[in-house]
Structures are given as C-alpha cells and as structure tokens.
Amino acid sequence: MPETRPGYRISIIDDDPLRARREVRELLTELAGADPGAALDVPGRRTTEGADKGGVSAETVGLVLSAGALATQVLQTWMTRVPQRTIVARRPDGATLRITGKEAREDDELIERFLAGDESSDAHGDEDCGTTAS
C-alpha cells in the first residue's frame, strides 16, 4: 500500500479533484521509465468533521517515488510545463516544499536540491514566491 511505502511523496494541489487525479496519473506515466517503483498515493476522500452527507470534502492525490536523478529531472520538467500547477513535495525526514510550475522554471534545480536533502534549498522560502520548506 503506497501510504506505508517509504520514499518521497508528491502531492498535487488543485481545487478540481478530477484534474488533480488526471495530473498525478500523467506524472506517474512519465515517471514509469525513470522510477519503476513510483506508485499512486491516494489516501481517499475525507468528509469535514460534523458535515452532513454530501457536505464539504477534501481529497489528496499524489504519488510516492524513490527520487533518483532521472525521476527528479522528469518531475522538474513536468512542473515547468504548467506555471499554475502547484505541488507539495515531502522528504522521508518530514521536510516539505511547496512550489509552483512558475517557481520551478525560475529555479530549475530547486526540486533536485530539495529531494537530495540540500539544506540550502530548505532555506528557500520567501513570501513572494510562495515556496516553503519545513
């Protein structure tokens, strides 16, 4: 089950859950050659506490990958194609990075440095660009 698999988690942030699912499947297809162990990470739909049936729900769609060099390049290229696309990357040590396609274009090595565990990428997080690492 992907939720218990070790590795790097990439979550797609989108108001439209169908588009998010489509995008994560597209990314998974592109990653297949670079990281055969990459897998969907779909914990499922959760209803907001106290909401009635059919109420507000939240859905997380993402994938788990080993983040080898080729897989990281595929992720970086995929991100730069759509400037409005936003992902949250989480390393096994718990550090997270929220980045948009536009930011990925501006700093084409940020994702690679972050997934490699480079501490300088953790410091990248000024309010103007919206990239945060914790």
Side-chain angles (χ1 to χ4, degrees):
M1 188 118 205
E3 294 98 21
T4 60
R5 287 184 49 191
Y8 298 85
R9 287 187 158 45
I10 306 297
S11 299
I12 307 295
I13 309 251
D14 199 315
D15 293 336
D16 180 351
L18 293 176
R19 183 173 47 214
R21 283 178 176 259
R22 184 182 68 240
E23 287 194 345
V24 79
R25 289 182 194 284
E26 172 190 312
L27 177 57
L28 185 59
T29 299
E30 291 186 30
L31 281 169
D35 185 355
L40 283 176
D41 183 19
V42 186
R45 186 175 293 247
R46 294 178 206 91
T47 303
T48 308
E49 194 172 315
D52 293 329
K53 243 184 184 178
V56 179
S57 63
E59 187 168 6
T60 303
V61 180
L63 53 90
V64 180
L65 66 148
S66 64
L70 186 54
T72 302
Q73 287 178 329
V74 169
L75 175 61
Q76 182 75 35
T77 302
W78 181 81
M79 280 295 301
T80 61
R81 284 193 219 135
V82 181
Q84 301 83 4
R85 182 178 282 150
T86 302
I87 67 162
V88 175
R90 189 175 74 221
R91 293 191 308 228
D93 67 3
T96 60
L97 173 72
R98 181 183 175 117
I99 186 169
T100 67
K102 180 182 178 199
E103 294 159 355
R105 279 186 189 169
E106 292 169 358
D107 186 347
D108 63 352
E109 295 177 354
L110 179 61
I111 294 173
E112 182 178 1
R113 288 192 315 268
F114 176 77
L115 294 178
D118 183 352
E119 297 301 321
S120 67
S121 66
D122 292 356
H124 187 292
D126 59 319
E127 292 179 22
D128 294 333
C129 72
T131 305
T132 57
S134 55

